[in-house]
Amino acid sequence: MFQGISIVTFNKSFKTEDDCKQYLFAMKWKDGYKCRRCGFTASNKGKTSYHLRCKVCAYDESVTAHTMFHKLKVPLLKAFGMTFRLSVRKKGMSTVELSKEYSINQKSSWLFKRKTQEAMKSSGEHLLDTKVEVDEILIGGPEKNKRGRNKGDKKLVVIAVEKVKGDKIGRAYAEVIQQASGDCFKPFFERYIDKDNAQVITDCWKGYLPLESEFEIRQKPSNGGKGFPGLHLVIMNLKGWLRGIHHHCSEKFTNGYLNEFFFRFNRRNFLTSIWHKLIERFITSQPYNYKANAL
Ligand SMILES: [Zn+2]
């Protein structure tokens, strides 16, 4: 497993396409081989050194098949480099920077970044389960009347931050919602908050009250964010980052940026393994379907 955040060490470890394929090969079949077609668990060498062929049905599987590296438009070596930059750099990298640094056109770098953001989506395995502070924010413009009907081009985002060990900030998640109502909060709460163990704290907005039947909810005044200093800090960081890189984009793409921000944020204390974790996601996620996620 590659560990570290140094680009020099990274470049030494991955010099060729084969270096990348070897790494993927070790990861993909680390728990042993199983044929996708017939389920048999023994294989021979396949078409290349980076294929395995089933001993029974002869199904040949490449190291990138059924992963997000399938039919990649850029060489693996560049994809590895880009995922490294996008995961270990505190602020990630813009598509313009990526295309300059890796000599690929803007469209390819944009598509690859979209794919990476998809891989960065929460697995849903780590629910927030302590004190969880929740609020909504508007992104893409000055924050006024966030719960009103006129949000214009801005997107309403719900954000949840857990407090661990006293008052330290733990994990956090955020997602675009249509409006600040119980119906819109509910899927977000169910996806990210442990209903049996979490104590949710919100400001005094009535939109959270319908969730009281499922979640333990306590309300207290926000006082312009002062009542929720940890949450407020995370929001300031998120907004600062978005202002730096964010261009006008649709709701679906805004969620991509939120996924990217919180993937890094939730691993800020485990940076040396963050790239490996991201590659693991690329391997275990299904190939990214650009058509289904219509551009
Ligand atoms: Zn088979």
Side-chain angles (χ1 to χ4, degrees):
M1 166 178 160
F2 178 86
Q3 281 193 307
I5 56 168
S6 152
I7 188 76
V8 177
T9 316
F10 186 83
N11 288 341
K12 275 185 193 153
S13 303
F14 301 103
K15 290 187 184 127
T16 63
E17 290 291 290
D18 279 3
D19 291 340
C20 304
K21 285 181 184 168
Q22 262 165 30
Y23 197 81
L24 293 182
F25 192 94
M27 276 178 93
K28 182 172 181 175
W29 286 301
K30 68 179 188 312
D31 298 323
Y33 166 85
K34 191 177 178 193
C35 174
R36 281 178 188 267
R37 194 191 277 164
C38 75
F40 198 65
T41 51
S43 61
N44 293 318
K45 181 179 163 293
K47 220 184 320 183
T48 72
S49 306
Y50 305 107
H51 283 74
L52 286 180
R53 183 171 297 165
C54 174
K55 275 190 172 175
V56 171
C57 75
Y59 175 68
D60 217 24
E61 183 174 333
S62 84
V63 72
T64 53
H66 307 283
T67 77
M68 286 176 95
F69 290 111
H70 183 60
K71 288 192 177 165
L72 211 57
K73 302 278 188 291
V74 294
L76 263 183
L77 194 57
K78 290 188 180 186
F80 267 43
M82 288 193 283
T83 47
F84 188 72
R85 293 300 181 90
L86 286 170
S87 56
V88 305
R89 279 174 58 134
K90 201 172 170 209
K91 297 191 169 179
M93 233 171 150
S94 74
T95 53
V96 176
E97 289 172 310
L98 285 175
S99 66
K100 277 189 194 151
E101 179 111 8
Y102 291 93
S103 312
I104 56 173
N105 65 44
Q106 264 268 275
K107 192 178 176 202
S108 299
S109 84
W110 190 81
L111 288 173
F112 189 77
K113 186 161 172 173
R114 290 277 308 130
K115 187 185 275 224
T116 306
Q117 288 178 336
E118 183 67 21
M120 287 172 159
K121 196 158 81 179
S122 161
S123 63
E125 284 169 13
H126 302 283
L127 297 180
L128 308 179
D129 61 3
T130 48
K131 270 204 298 190
V132 181
E133 298 180 345
V134 178
D135 198 4
E136 324 96 68
I137 52 171
L138 276 178
I139 57 173
E143 186 165 345
K144 276 182 193 158
N145 191 23
K146 66 182 176 184
R147 280 142 185 170
R149 283 169 192 274
N150 281 320
K151 44 185 202 288
D153 274 351
K154 301 178 199 100
K155 278 113 200 156
L156 185 63
V157 167
V158 59
I159 175 167
V161 175
E162 74 178 352
K163 293 298 200 59
V164 291
K165 290 181 196 145
D167 224 18
K168 285 175 76 173
I169 300 168
R171 303 173 77 90
Y173 297 106
E175 205 168 273
V176 177
I177 51 171
Q178 288 307 315
Q179 47 178 320
S181 67
D183 284 350
C184 293
F185 291 137
K186 195 173 177 212
F188 175 79
F189 270 57
E190 289 177 342
R191 211 163 11 253
Y192 297 109
I193 302 173
D194 182 342
K195 56 179 77 163
D196 296 322
N197 296 303
Q199 184 194 40
V200 181
I201 305 153
T202 72
D203 61 11
C204 300
W205 175 239
K206 62 183 187 313
Y208 291 106
L209 299 179
L211 296 161
E212 275 183 324
S213 56
E214 282 184 72
F215 293 87
E216 184 191 336
I217 291 177
R218 189 160 69 83
Q219 296 200 311
K220 66 176 191 183
S222 160
N223 292 330
K226 290 195 193 80
F228 297 81
L231 175 66
H232 195 64
L233 188 69
V234 179
I235 291 172
M236 288 300 109
N237 283 337
L238 170 66
K239 285 189 167 181
W241 177 72
L242 283 169
R243 258 197 306 275
I245 53 96
H246 189 256
H247 305 288
H248 177 78
C249 61
S250 73
E251 181 181 317
K252 194 175 282 176
F253 298 148
T254 303
N255 276 331
Y257 283 99
L258 295 174
N259 291 339
E260 181 187 342
F261 181 84
F262 288 103
F263 180 85
R264 277 195 299 267
F265 182 84
N266 290 338
R267 287 161 190 79
R268 63 197 182 280
N269 299 322
F270 310 98
L271 276 182
T272 55
S273 61
I274 191 170
W275 175 77
H276 181 85
K277 287 279 162 207
L278 179 58
I279 296 301
E280 218 167 59
R281 293 283 189 81
F282 265 75
I283 289 178
T284 51
S285 306
Q286 283 307 298
Y288 186 63
N289 186 337
Y290 290 108
K291 281 202 183 111
N293 292 279
L295 302 180

